[in-house]
Amino acid sequence: PPRSTLFPYTTLFRSQTLPGIGPTAAQAIVDYRLENGLFQSITDIQNVPGIGPATYDGIKDYITIGE
């Protein structure tokens, strides 16, 4: 899949292109961003409910922080 940036905008479509991220997890990412603001590190995605170490390991090579 293409690399997805978690900053400046996380969209449901972009999130769902990540391996192992379906509609529920994508919505959780968007909700987390709305409540907590920007991710400061790609590891911050593990703070999203439902995204733990195994999911992170599957997506870490496809996410970035920055424009």
Side-chain angles (χ1 to χ4, degrees):
R3 290 178 68 89
S4 178
T5 184
L6 298 178
F7 167 81
Y9 302 105
T10 300
T11 65
L12 288 173
F13 174 76
R14 263 196 168 151
S15 297
Q16 289 181 65
T17 65
L18 296 169
I21 302 294
T24 301
Q27 185 63 56
I29 292 169
V30 171
D31 292 345
Y32 181 89
R33 280 285 315 282
L34 290 172
E35 291 179 24
N36 299 285
L38 303 175
F39 292 105
Q40 301 300 309
S41 165
I42 65 170
T43 59
D44 289 347
I45 199 166
Q46 293 179 92
N47 296 328
V48 175
I51 299 183
T55 301
Y56 173 74
D57 284 343
I59 64 174
K60 67 183 177 187
D61 293 334
Y62 302 103
I63 57 178
T64 62
I65 299 295
E67 294 184 43

Tab-separated table of all heavy atoms in Angstrom:
chain	number	residue	atom	x	y	z
A	1	PRO	N	0.829	-1.207	0.000
A	1	PRO	CA	0.000	0.000	0.000
A	1	PRO	C	0.865	1.258	0.000
A	1	PRO	O	2.019	1.211	0.431
A	1	PRO	CB	-0.790	-0.093	1.297
A	1	PRO	CG	-0.315	-1.293	2.016
A	1	PRO	CD	0.716	-1.983	1.191
A	2	PRO	N	0.278	2.353	-0.426
A	2	PRO	CA	1.030	3.609	-0.393
A	2	PRO	C	1.267	4.047	1.047
A	2	PRO	O	0.534	3.664	1.943
A	2	PRO	CB	0.112	4.586	-1.125
A	2	PRO	CG	-1.257	4.004	-0.974
A	2	PRO	CD	-1.068	2.509	-0.920
A	3	ARG	N	2.313	4.843	1.249
A	3	ARG	CA	2.562	5.384	2.593
A	3	ARG	C	1.442	6.364	2.929
A	3	ARG	O	1.015	7.120	2.091
A	3	ARG	CB	3.911	6.063	2.648
A	3	ARG	CG	5.051	5.073	2.558
A	3	ARG	CD	6.396	5.752	2.576
A	3	ARG	NE	6.693	6.353	3.842
A	3	ARG	CZ	7.291	5.750	4.863
A	3	ARG	NH1	7.619	4.499	4.750
A	3	ARG	NH2	7.548	6.389	5.972
A	4	SER	N	1.002	6.351	4.156
A	4	SER	CA	-0.038	7.260	4.613
A	4	SER	C	0.560	8.190	5.650
A	4	SER	O	1.293	7.760	6.520
A	4	SER	CB	-1.192	6.463	5.243
A	4	SER	OG	-2.176	7.329	5.728
A	5	THR	N	0.252	9.447	5.539
A	5	THR	CA	0.766	10.391	6.521
A	5	THR	C	-0.276	10.623	7.612
A	5	THR	O	-1.448	10.744	7.317
A	5	THR	CB	1.183	11.720	5.863
A	5	THR	OG1	1.746	12.549	6.861
A	5	THR	CG2	0.052	12.419	5.167
A	6	LEU	N	0.149	10.617	8.838
A	6	LEU	CA	-0.771	10.845	9.949
A	6	LEU	C	-0.900	12.332	10.245
A	6	LEU	O	-1.678	12.723	11.097
A	6	LEU	CB	-0.268	10.116	11.200
A	6	LEU	CG	-0.182	8.602	11.061
A	6	LEU	CD1	0.373	7.995	12.339
A	6	LEU	CD2	-1.529	8.012	10.747
A	7	PHE	N	-0.144	13.161	9.548
A	7	PHE	CA	-0.171	14.598	9.758
A	7	PHE	C	-0.055	15.256	8.402
A	7	PHE	O	0.710	14.791	7.575
A	7	PHE	CB	1.019	14.999	10.638
A	7	PHE	CG	1.280	16.468	10.682
A	7	PHE	CD1	0.539	17.283	11.502
A	7	PHE	CD2	2.259	17.029	9.895
A	7	PHE	CE1	0.787	18.633	11.536
A	7	PHE	CE2	2.507	18.383	9.923
A	7	PHE	CZ	1.764	19.187	10.753
A	8	PRO	N	-0.770	16.235	8.023
A	8	PRO	CA	-1.686	16.993	8.845
A	8	PRO	C	-3.100	16.438	8.917
A	8	PRO	O	-3.848	16.775	9.812
A	8	PRO	CB	-1.681	18.364	8.194
A	8	PRO	CG	-1.435	18.081	6.756
A	8	PRO	CD	-0.527	16.869	6.746
A	9	TYR	N	-3.519	15.608	7.992
A	9	TYR	CA	-4.900	15.140	8.009
A	9	TYR	C	-4.965	13.621	7.915
A	9	TYR	O	-4.376	13.023	7.035
A	9	TYR	CB	-5.676	15.730	6.833
A	9	TYR	CG	-5.673	17.226	6.832
A	9	TYR	CD1	-4.882	17.943	5.949
A	9	TYR	CD2	-6.436	17.931	7.746
A	9	TYR	CE1	-4.856	19.322	5.973
A	9	TYR	CE2	-6.410	19.307	7.773
A	9	TYR	CZ	-5.634	19.997	6.892
A	9	TYR	OH	-5.606	21.359	6.914
A	10	THR	N	-5.711	13.017	8.834
A	10	THR	CA	-5.974	11.592	8.753
A	10	THR	C	-7.391	11.448	8.237
A	10	THR	O	-8.304	12.018	8.787
A	10	THR	CB	-5.862	10.922	10.132
A	10	THR	OG1	-4.545	11.113	10.617
A	10	THR	CG2	-6.139	9.438	10.047
A	11	THR	N	-7.571	10.706	7.185
A	11	THR	CA	-8.907	10.503	6.627
A	11	THR	C	-9.275	9.039	6.742
A	11	THR	O	-8.401	8.161	6.836
A	11	THR	CB	-8.960	10.926	5.151
A	11	THR	OG1	-8.111	10.070	4.399
A	11	THR	CG2	-8.567	12.372	4.961
A	12	LEU	N	-10.551	8.782	6.719
A	12	LEU	CA	-10.998	7.398	6.766
A	12	LEU	C	-10.454	6.619	5.575
A	12	LEU	O	-9.980	5.498	5.718
A	12	LEU	CB	-12.532	7.335	6.770
A	12	LEU	CG	-13.194	7.777	8.058
A	12	LEU	CD1	-14.704	7.832	7.879
A	12	LEU	CD2	-12.836	6.849	9.190
A	13	PHE	N	-10.480	7.212	4.398
A	13	PHE	CA	-9.991	6.510	3.216
A	13	PHE	C	-8.520	6.151	3.339
A	13	PHE	O	-8.129	5.016	3.115
A	13	PHE	CB	-10.220	7.347	1.954
A	13	PHE	CG	-9.607	6.734	0.738
A	13	PHE	CD1	-10.216	5.651	0.118
A	13	PHE	CD2	-8.418	7.206	0.219
A	13	PHE	CE1	-9.645	5.065	-0.995
A	13	PHE	CE2	-7.836	6.623	-0.893
A	13	PHE	CZ	-8.455	5.551	-1.500
A	14	ARG	N	-7.710	7.124	3.704
A	14	ARG	CA	-6.266	6.862	3.827
A	14	ARG	C	-5.974	5.805	4.872
A	14	ARG	O	-5.133	4.945	4.673
A	14	ARG	CB	-5.539	8.140	4.213
A	14	ARG	CG	-4.955	8.843	3.078
A	14	ARG	CD	-3.957	9.831	3.622
A	14	ARG	NE	-3.192	10.310	2.513
A	14	ARG	CZ	-2.656	11.486	2.460
A	14	ARG	NH1	-2.780	12.306	3.473
A	14	ARG	NH2	-1.979	11.852	1.417
A	15	SER	N	-6.639	5.902	6.002
A	15	SER	CA	-6.391	4.943	7.072
A	15	SER	C	-6.743	3.530	6.638
A	15	SER	O	-6.056	2.578	6.979
A	15	SER	CB	-7.190	5.318	8.321
A	15	SER	OG	-6.771	6.565	8.812
A	16	GLN	N	-7.812	3.397	5.864
A	16	GLN	CA	-8.252	2.069	5.448
A	16	GLN	C	-7.335	1.444	4.402
A	16	GLN	O	-7.458	0.263	4.110
A	16	GLN	CB	-9.687	2.125	4.933
A	16	GLN	CG	-10.675	2.355	6.060
A	16	GLN	CD	-12.096	2.398	5.558
A	16	GLN	OE1	-12.601	1.404	5.073
A	16	GLN	NE2	-12.728	3.551	5.680
A	17	THR	N	-6.420	2.210	3.834
A	17	THR	CA	-5.484	1.622	2.871
A	17	THR	C	-4.306	0.953	3.578
A	17	THR	O	-3.510	0.284	2.936
A	17	THR	CB	-4.949	2.681	1.882
A	17	THR	OG1	-4.169	3.650	2.585
A	17	THR	CG2	-6.062	3.352	1.112
A	18	LEU	N	-4.201	1.127	4.883
A	18	LEU	CA	-3.133	0.490	5.651
A	18	LEU	C	-3.490	-0.973	5.914
A	18	LEU	O	-4.649	-1.289	6.181
A	18	LEU	CB	-2.938	1.215	6.990
A	18	LEU	CG	-2.476	2.663	6.896
A	18	LEU	CD1	-2.580	3.333	8.252
A	18	LEU	CD2	-1.056	2.725	6.364
A	19	PRO	N	-2.514	-1.877	5.856
A	19	PRO	CA	-2.802	-3.292	6.092
A	19	PRO	C	-3.338	-3.516	7.502
A	19	PRO	O	-2.771	-3.028	8.476
A	19	PRO	CB	-1.452	-3.989	5.897
A	19	PRO	CG	-0.418	-2.930	5.893
A	19	PRO	CD	-1.094	-1.628	5.613
A	20	GLY	N	-4.465	-4.220	7.590
A	20	GLY	CA	-5.043	-4.540	8.883
A	20	GLY	C	-5.916	-3.447	9.472
A	20	GLY	O	-6.437	-3.595	10.581
A	21	ILE	N	-6.080	-2.331	8.769
A	21	ILE	CA	-6.921	-1.237	9.262
A	21	ILE	C	-8.214	-1.211	8.452
A	21	ILE	O	-8.210	-0.923	7.261
A	21	ILE	CB	-6.212	0.133	9.144
A	21	ILE	CG1	-4.902	0.130	9.920
A	21	ILE	CG2	-7.135	1.259	9.611
A	21	ILE	CD1	-5.039	0.003	11.425
A	22	GLY	N	-9.305	-1.551	9.110
A	22	GLY	CA	-10.611	-1.516	8.474
A	22	GLY	C	-11.377	-0.275	8.895
A	22	GLY	O	-10.812	0.637	9.519
A	23	PRO	N	-12.663	-0.228	8.584
A	23	PRO	CA	-13.467	0.955	8.885
A	23	PRO	C	-13.506	1.326	10.370
A	23	PRO	O	-13.453	2.505	10.717
A	23	PRO	CB	-14.864	0.588	8.387
A	23	PRO	CG	-14.656	-0.506	7.410
A	23	PRO	CD	-13.412	-1.227	7.842
A	24	THR	N	-13.579	0.345	11.247
A	24	THR	CA	-13.668	0.630	12.681
A	24	THR	C	-12.378	1.248	13.202
A	24	THR	O	-12.388	2.256	13.911
A	24	THR	CB	-14.008	-0.646	13.469
A	24	THR	OG1	-15.253	-1.158	12.980
A	24	THR	CG2	-14.125	-0.365	14.955
A	25	ALA	N	-11.247	0.652	12.846
A	25	ALA	CA	-9.955	1.192	13.292
A	25	ALA	C	-9.689	2.552	12.654
A	25	ALA	O	-9.151	3.452	13.296
A	25	ALA	CB	-8.821	0.227	12.962
A	26	ALA	N	-10.071	2.712	11.388
A	26	ALA	CA	-9.889	3.999	10.713
A	26	ALA	C	-10.678	5.089	11.431
A	26	ALA	O	-10.171	6.194	11.659
A	26	ALA	CB	-10.310	3.898	9.252
A	27	GLN	N	-11.906	4.782	11.821
A	27	GLN	CA	-12.712	5.762	12.549
A	27	GLN	C	-12.090	6.059	13.903
A	27	GLN	O	-12.096	7.199	14.359
A	27	GLN	CB	-14.149	5.268	12.720
A	27	GLN	CG	-15.057	6.285	13.370
A	27	GLN	CD	-15.205	7.544	12.532
A	27	GLN	OE1	-15.584	7.481	11.378
A	27	GLN	NE2	-14.891	8.706	13.112
A	28	ALA	N	-11.525	5.039	14.552
A	28	ALA	CA	-10.863	5.248	15.842
A	28	ALA	C	-9.672	6.190	15.699
A	28	ALA	O	-9.422	7.027	16.572
A	28	ALA	CB	-10.425	3.904	16.442
A	29	ILE	N	-8.931	6.076	14.591
A	29	ILE	CA	-7.797	6.974	14.342
A	29	ILE	C	-8.283	8.406	14.189
A	29	ILE	O	-7.740	9.334	14.794
A	29	ILE	CB	-7.001	6.527	13.096
A	29	ILE	CG1	-6.310	5.204	13.366
A	29	ILE	CG2	-5.995	7.595	12.686
A	29	ILE	CD1	-5.726	4.536	12.134
A	30	VAL	N	-9.333	8.593	13.400
A	30	VAL	CA	-9.889	9.930	13.200
A	30	VAL	C	-10.402	10.489	14.521
A	30	VAL	O	-10.125	11.640	14.870
A	30	VAL	CB	-11.008	9.904	12.138
A	30	VAL	CG1	-11.737	11.237	12.072
A	30	VAL	CG2	-10.427	9.539	10.775
A	31	ASP	N	-11.140	9.689	15.273
A	31	ASP	CA	-11.678	10.143	16.561
A	31	ASP	C	-10.548	10.525	17.520
A	31	ASP	O	-10.638	11.539	18.224
A	31	ASP	CB	-12.548	9.053	17.195
A	31	ASP	CG	-13.834	8.801	16.419
A	31	ASP	OD1	-14.206	9.637	15.556
A	31	ASP	OD2	-14.461	7.749	16.672
A	32	TYR	N	-9.503	9.716	17.561
A	32	TYR	CA	-8.363	10.012	18.431
A	32	TYR	C	-7.743	11.350	18.054
A	32	TYR	O	-7.431	12.169	18.908
A	32	TYR	CB	-7.323	8.888	18.342
A	32	TYR	CG	-6.132	9.127	19.244
A	32	TYR	CD1	-6.138	8.674	20.558
A	32	TYR	CD2	-5.020	9.835	18.798
A	32	TYR	CE1	-5.064	8.906	21.400
A	32	TYR	CE2	-3.944	10.081	19.631
A	32	TYR	CZ	-3.972	9.612	20.929
A	32	TYR	OH	-2.916	9.856	21.763
A	33	ARG	N	-7.551	11.564	16.766
A	33	ARG	CA	-6.959	12.823	16.295
A	33	ARG	C	-7.837	14.016	16.668
A	33	ARG	O	-7.328	15.061	17.062
A	33	ARG	CB	-6.777	12.794	14.773
A	33	ARG	CG	-5.563	12.043	14.286
A	33	ARG	CD	-4.278	12.810	14.497
A	33	ARG	NE	-4.367	14.205	14.110
A	33	ARG	CZ	-4.329	14.687	12.879
A	33	ARG	NH1	-4.183	13.876	11.860
A	33	ARG	NH2	-4.425	15.971	12.656
A	34	LEU	N	-9.134	13.871	16.541
A	34	LEU	CA	-10.041	14.967	16.879
A	34	LEU	C	-9.982	15.303	18.367
A	34	LEU	O	-10.080	16.461	18.749
A	34	LEU	CB	-11.474	14.629	16.463
A	34	LEU	CG	-11.729	14.594	14.953
A	34	LEU	CD1	-13.130	14.065	14.673
A	34	LEU	CD2	-11.539	15.976	14.341
A	35	GLU	N	-9.820	14.284	19.196
A	35	GLU	CA	-9.785	14.489	20.642
A	35	GLU	C	-8.407	14.897	21.159
A	35	GLU	O	-8.307	15.614	22.150
A	35	GLU	CB	-10.222	13.210	21.360
A	35	GLU	CG	-11.689	12.901	21.178
A	35	GLU	CD	-12.089	11.619	21.881
A	35	GLU	OE1	-11.406	11.216	22.848
A	35	GLU	OE2	-13.091	11.023	21.452
A	36	ASN	N	-7.338	14.431	20.508
A	36	ASN	CA	-5.991	14.591	21.057
A	36	ASN	C	-5.036	15.410	20.206
A	36	ASN	O	-3.912	15.660	20.616
A	36	ASN	CB	-5.373	13.206	21.305
A	36	ASN	CG	-6.182	12.415	22.301
A	36	ASN	OD1	-6.136	12.683	23.484
A	36	ASN	ND2	-6.953	11.466	21.813
A	37	GLY	N	-5.456	15.777	19.021
A	37	GLY	CA	-4.583	16.565	18.150
A	37	GLY	C	-3.629	15.699	17.354
A	37	GLY	O	-3.827	14.497	17.196
A	38	LEU	N	-2.589	16.327	16.877
A	38	LEU	CA	-1.644	15.684	15.979
A	38	LEU	C	-0.820	14.599	16.663
A	38	LEU	O	-0.493	14.706	17.842
A	38	LEU	CB	-0.675	16.731	15.420
A	38	LEU	CG	-1.309	17.908	14.692
A	38	LEU	CD1	-0.244	18.920	14.315
A	38	LEU	CD2	-2.075	17.434	13.481
A	39	PHE	N	-0.487	13.595	15.903
A	39	PHE	CA	0.466	12.601	16.368
A	39	PHE	C	1.844	13.244	16.346
A	39	PHE	O	2.208	13.931	15.400
A	39	PHE	CB	0.472	11.375	15.453
A	39	PHE	CG	-0.792	10.561	15.502
A	39	PHE	CD1	-1.710	10.622	14.470
A	39	PHE	CD2	-1.054	9.730	16.573
A	39	PHE	CE1	-2.867	9.872	14.499
A	39	PHE	CE2	-2.215	8.971	16.620
A	39	PHE	CZ	-3.124	9.044	15.573
A	40	GLN	N	2.622	13.041	17.375
A	40	GLN	CA	3.975	13.582	17.445
A	40	GLN	C	5.011	12.571	16.957
A	40	GLN	O	6.118	12.940	16.593
A	40	GLN	CB	4.301	14.007	18.878
A	40	GLN	CG	3.350	15.061	19.422
A	40	GLN	CD	3.365	16.331	18.594
A	40	GLN	OE1	4.432	16.878	18.321
A	40	GLN	NE2	2.203	16.794	18.175
A	41	SER	N	4.650	11.304	16.969
A	41	SER	CA	5.537	10.211	16.566
A	41	SER	C	4.659	9.123	15.968
A	41	SER	O	3.486	8.991	16.355
A	41	SER	CB	6.273	9.679	17.790
A	41	SER	OG	6.863	8.422	17.523
A	42	ILE	N	5.213	8.327	15.053
A	42	ILE	CA	4.391	7.259	14.498
A	42	ILE	C	3.982	6.248	15.566
A	42	ILE	O	2.941	5.619	15.453
A	42	ILE	CB	5.048	6.564	13.293
A	42	ILE	CG1	6.329	5.826	13.673
A	42	ILE	CG2	5.268	7.535	12.153
A	42	ILE	CD1	6.872	4.924	12.569
A	43	THR	N	4.758	6.127	16.623
A	43	THR	CA	4.396	5.187	17.691
A	43	THR	C	3.155	5.638	18.451
A	43	THR	O	2.510	4.824	19.105
A	43	THR	CB	5.563	4.972	18.671
A	43	THR	OG1	5.933	6.226	19.251
A	43	THR	CG2	6.759	4.354	17.973
A	44	ASP	N	2.800	6.924	18.349
A	44	ASP	CA	1.602	7.437	19.020
A	44	ASP	C	0.333	6.755	18.537
A	44	ASP	O	-0.674	6.750	19.245
A	44	ASP	CB	1.452	8.948	18.813
A	44	ASP	CG	2.473	9.755	19.576
A	44	ASP	OD1	3.153	9.191	20.454
A	44	ASP	OD2	2.587	10.966	19.287
A	45	ILE	N	0.356	6.179	17.354
A	45	ILE	CA	-0.845	5.514	16.844
A	45	ILE	C	-1.244	4.345	17.747
A	45	ILE	O	-2.394	3.940	17.777
A	45	ILE	CB	-0.672	5.079	15.373
A	45	ILE	CG1	-2.045	4.839	14.745
A	45	ILE	CG2	0.255	3.889	15.246
A	45	ILE	CD1	-2.043	4.728	13.254
A	46	GLN	N	-0.294	3.841	18.531
A	46	GLN	CA	-0.615	2.760	19.465
A	46	GLN	C	-1.486	3.239	20.624
A	46	GLN	O	-2.031	2.417	21.367
A	46	GLN	CB	0.671	2.127	20.002
A	46	GLN	CG	1.448	1.401	18.917
A	46	GLN	CD	2.726	0.815	19.451
A	46	GLN	OE1	2.760	-0.347	19.869
A	46	GLN	NE2	3.776	1.616	19.462
A	47	ASN	N	-1.641	4.549	20.775
A	47	ASN	CA	-2.541	5.093	21.796
A	47	ASN	C	-3.998	5.039	21.352
A	47	ASN	O	-4.892	5.260	22.159
A	47	ASN	CB	-2.166	6.545	22.117
A	47	ASN	CG	-0.793	6.657	22.725
A	47	ASN	OD1	-0.335	5.771	23.433
A	47	ASN	ND2	-0.112	7.754	22.442
A	48	VAL	N	-4.224	4.772	20.083
A	48	VAL	CA	-5.586	4.667	19.552
A	48	VAL	C	-6.172	3.340	20.021
A	48	VAL	O	-5.534	2.287	19.857
A	48	VAL	CB	-5.576	4.736	18.010
A	48	VAL	CG1	-6.971	4.514	17.443
A	48	VAL	CG2	-4.999	6.068	17.533
A	49	PRO	N	-7.365	3.372	20.616
A	49	PRO	CA	-7.987	2.118	21.050
A	49	PRO	C	-8.084	1.111	19.903
A	49	PRO	O	-8.506	1.455	18.795
A	49	PRO	CB	-9.381	2.551	21.511
A	49	PRO	CG	-9.213	3.989	21.901
A	49	PRO	CD	-8.198	4.539	20.926
A	50	GLY	N	-7.642	-0.111	20.153
A	50	GLY	CA	-7.710	-1.167	19.151
A	50	GLY	C	-6.462	-1.301	18.303
A	50	GLY	O	-6.360	-2.228	17.497
A	51	ILE	N	-5.503	-0.396	18.451
A	51	ILE	CA	-4.261	-0.499	17.690
A	51	ILE	C	-3.124	-0.742	18.674
A	51	ILE	O	-2.684	0.159	19.368
A	51	ILE	CB	-3.992	0.762	16.847
A	51	ILE	CG1	-5.129	0.932	15.847
A	51	ILE	CG2	-2.633	0.657	16.148
A	51	ILE	CD1	-4.972	2.076	14.902
A	52	GLY	N	-2.727	-1.986	18.730
A	52	GLY	CA	-1.666	-2.363	19.650
A	52	GLY	C	-0.391	-2.692	18.911
A	52	GLY	O	-0.242	-2.386	17.720
A	53	PRO	N	0.544	-3.344	19.595
A	53	PRO	CA	1.847	-3.644	19.007
A	53	PRO	C	1.782	-4.463	17.716
A	53	PRO	O	2.531	-4.191	16.772
A	53	PRO	CB	2.573	-4.411	20.108
A	53	PRO	CG	1.923	-3.960	21.370
A	53	PRO	CD	0.483	-3.715	21.010
A	54	ALA	N	0.918	-5.439	17.641
A	54	ALA	CA	0.848	-6.280	16.436
A	54	ALA	C	0.373	-5.468	15.231
A	54	ALA	O	0.952	-5.566	14.144
A	54	ALA	CB	-0.065	-7.478	16.667
A	55	THR	N	-0.661	-4.664	15.429
A	55	THR	CA	-1.155	-3.823	14.335
A	55	THR	C	-0.102	-2.799	13.955
A	55	THR	O	0.164	-2.569	12.769
A	55	THR	CB	-2.464	-3.120	14.733
A	55	THR	OG1	-3.439	-4.112	15.071
A	55	THR	CG2	-3.000	-2.265	13.608
A	56	TYR	N	0.511	-2.189	14.956
A	56	TYR	CA	1.565	-1.206	14.692
A	56	TYR	C	2.689	-1.817	13.857
A	56	TYR	O	3.150	-1.212	12.886
A	56	TYR	CB	2.110	-0.644	16.004
A	56	TYR	CG	3.300	0.248	15.801
A	56	TYR	CD1	3.140	1.527	15.269
A	56	TYR	CD2	4.581	-0.187	16.104
A	56	TYR	CE1	4.241	2.346	15.064
A	56	TYR	CE2	5.682	0.621	15.900
A	56	TYR	CZ	5.511	1.885	15.380
A	56	TYR	OH	6.597	2.692	15.163
A	57	ASP	N	3.114	-3.015	14.216
A	57	ASP	CA	4.180	-3.677	13.464
A	57	ASP	C	3.797	-3.877	11.999
A	57	ASP	O	4.653	-3.828	11.126
A	57	ASP	CB	4.547	-5.022	14.089
A	57	ASP	CG	5.386	-4.877	15.343
A	57	ASP	OD1	5.961	-3.788	15.567
A	57	ASP	OD2	5.463	-5.859	16.107
A	58	GLY	N	2.509	-4.076	11.742
A	58	GLY	CA	2.052	-4.279	10.378
A	58	GLY	C	1.924	-3.009	9.561
A	58	GLY	O	1.892	-3.058	8.332
A	59	ILE	N	1.831	-1.848	10.233
A	59	ILE	CA	1.607	-0.596	9.495
A	59	ILE	C	2.753	0.401	9.603
A	59	ILE	O	2.786	1.374	8.853
A	59	ILE	CB	0.294	0.090	9.930
A	59	ILE	CG1	0.341	0.516	11.389
A	59	ILE	CG2	-0.903	-0.796	9.633
A	59	ILE	CD1	-0.857	1.338	11.858
A	60	LYS	N	3.696	0.167	10.501
A	60	LYS	CA	4.724	1.183	10.783
A	60	LYS	C	5.544	1.585	9.567
A	60	LYS	O	6.006	2.708	9.473
A	60	LYS	CB	5.632	0.750	11.918
A	60	LYS	CG	6.497	-0.446	11.596
A	60	LYS	CD	7.320	-0.860	12.789
A	60	LYS	CE	8.110	-2.102	12.451
A	60	LYS	NZ	8.795	-2.613	13.626
A	61	ASP	N	5.709	0.679	8.628
A	61	ASP	CA	6.489	1.002	7.432
A	61	ASP	C	5.696	1.824	6.422
A	61	ASP	O	6.252	2.273	5.418
A	61	ASP	CB	7.001	-0.271	6.762
A	61	ASP	CG	8.023	-1.006	7.612
A	61	ASP	OD1	8.705	-0.345	8.435
A	61	ASP	OD2	8.132	-2.236	7.467
A	62	TYR	N	4.407	2.028	6.673
A	62	TYR	CA	3.548	2.753	5.742
A	62	TYR	C	3.068	4.095	6.269
A	62	TYR	O	2.321	4.782	5.583
A	62	TYR	CB	2.317	1.886	5.401
A	62	TYR	CG	2.691	0.559	4.819
A	62	TYR	CD1	2.633	-0.603	5.578
A	62	TYR	CD2	3.138	0.454	3.506
A	62	TYR	CE1	2.977	-1.826	5.050
A	62	TYR	CE2	3.497	-0.763	2.967
A	62	TYR	CZ	3.412	-1.900	3.743
A	62	TYR	OH	3.772	-3.109	3.208
A	63	ILE	N	3.453	4.446	7.490
A	63	ILE	CA	2.988	5.706	8.054
A	63	ILE	C	4.166	6.651	8.310
A	63	ILE	O	5.284	6.209	8.541
A	63	ILE	CB	2.165	5.486	9.347
A	63	ILE	CG1	2.953	4.710	10.405
A	63	ILE	CG2	0.861	4.782	9.020
A	63	ILE	CD1	2.231	4.510	11.715
A	64	THR	N	3.864	7.918	8.237
A	64	THR	CA	4.874	8.949	8.455
A	64	THR	C	4.265	10.087	9.260
A	64	THR	O	3.057	10.226	9.346
A	64	THR	CB	5.409	9.522	7.132
A	64	THR	OG1	4.344	10.149	6.431
A	64	THR	CG2	6.055	8.469	6.272
A	65	ILE	N	5.121	10.895	9.804
A	65	ILE	CA	4.719	12.140	10.457
A	65	ILE	C	5.330	13.259	9.632
A	65	ILE	O	6.519	13.240	9.342
A	65	ILE	CB	5.259	12.217	11.907
A	65	ILE	CG1	4.718	11.064	12.746
A	65	ILE	CG2	4.932	13.557	12.535
A	65	ILE	CD1	3.230	11.084	12.950
A	66	GLY	N	4.523	14.197	9.257
A	66	GLY	CA	5.018	15.313	8.459
A	66	GLY	C	4.108	15.613	7.304
A	66	GLY	O	3.100	14.960	7.117
A	67	GLU	N	4.487	16.613	6.554
A	67	GLU	CA	3.650	17.013	5.426
A	67	GLU	C	4.014	16.235	4.191
A	67	GLU	O	5.079	15.761	4.018
A	67	GLU	CB	3.820	18.512	5.184
A	67	GLU	CG	3.281	19.289	6.353
A	67	GLU	CD	3.328	20.776	6.111
A	67	GLU	OE1	2.986	21.225	5.003
A	67	GLU	OE2	3.713	21.486	7.027
